[in-house]
Amino acid sequence: DEYEAVAPTPSADRTCAALLRCSDTEFETLAPTNTSDRECSPCSVCGDDTFEAAACTATNDTVCTACAVCEPFVEFRNASCTATRDTECLACRTCTPGVEYRRNRCFGEEDTECLTCTVCGDDEYA
């Protein structure tokens, strides 16, 4: 494909030029017209604390999204954020009152640890 690089004059023919092709690491930022070439820009690379929510395509840049931060004592981190996947946060376990007690509180990468309450014998009391 070509575009008109130089318009014709009464004494000279127009000059055509081949359209630029964006590389695999670029995307089209300006579409070509009959009289202008396309423009390409490098695909963005996601930085620290972000992940690639959508890959760069021929016409769209990479979409980078901030990694989720799990809410302390409400959620724990089941899987860390990577270059292509968000943080996976899961709800902290709640111990069953009267049946279990909390040994360790949910935090960071650890869920709540619940232990079974001891059942008192007939000759014991709590």
Side-chain angles (χ1 to χ4, degrees):
D1 292 340
E2 297 180 320
Y3 70 99
E4 182 181 270
V6 179
T9 67
S11 61
D13 193 4
R14 72 177 35 92
T15 303
C16 297
L19 285 173
L20 175 69
R21 293 193 187 277
C22 299
S23 74
D24 291 343
T25 59
E26 296 177 316
F27 68 102
E28 183 180 275
T29 52
L30 187 62
T33 67
N34 290 336
T35 57
S36 67
D37 199 0
R38 76 173 33 94
E39 291 182 14
C40 303
S41 292
C43 295
S44 296
V45 176
C46 299
D48 292 342
D49 300 322
T50 64
F51 70 98
E52 185 180 283
C56 190
T57 67
T59 56
N60 292 300
D61 194 10
T62 307
V63 176
C64 300
T65 302
C67 295
V69 176
C70 302
E71 187 176 346
F73 309 117
V74 175
E75 301 172 312
F76 70 97
R77 187 174 54 251
N78 191 52
S80 295
C81 190
T82 68
T84 56
R85 186 188 69 215
D86 195 6
T87 306
E88 182 183 0
C89 299
L90 296 178
C92 294
R93 180 175 176 207
T94 302
C95 300
T96 306
V99 177
E100 300 174 309
Y101 67 97
R102 186 180 73 214
R103 180 173 182 190
N104 290 320
R105 193 169 190 184
C106 176
F107 187 75
E109 295 179 349
E110 299 295 323
D111 194 3
T112 304
E113 183 181 3
C114 300
L115 296 177
T116 303
C117 294
T118 301
V119 177
C120 296
D122 292 339
D123 59 340
E124 300 176 309
Y125 65 92

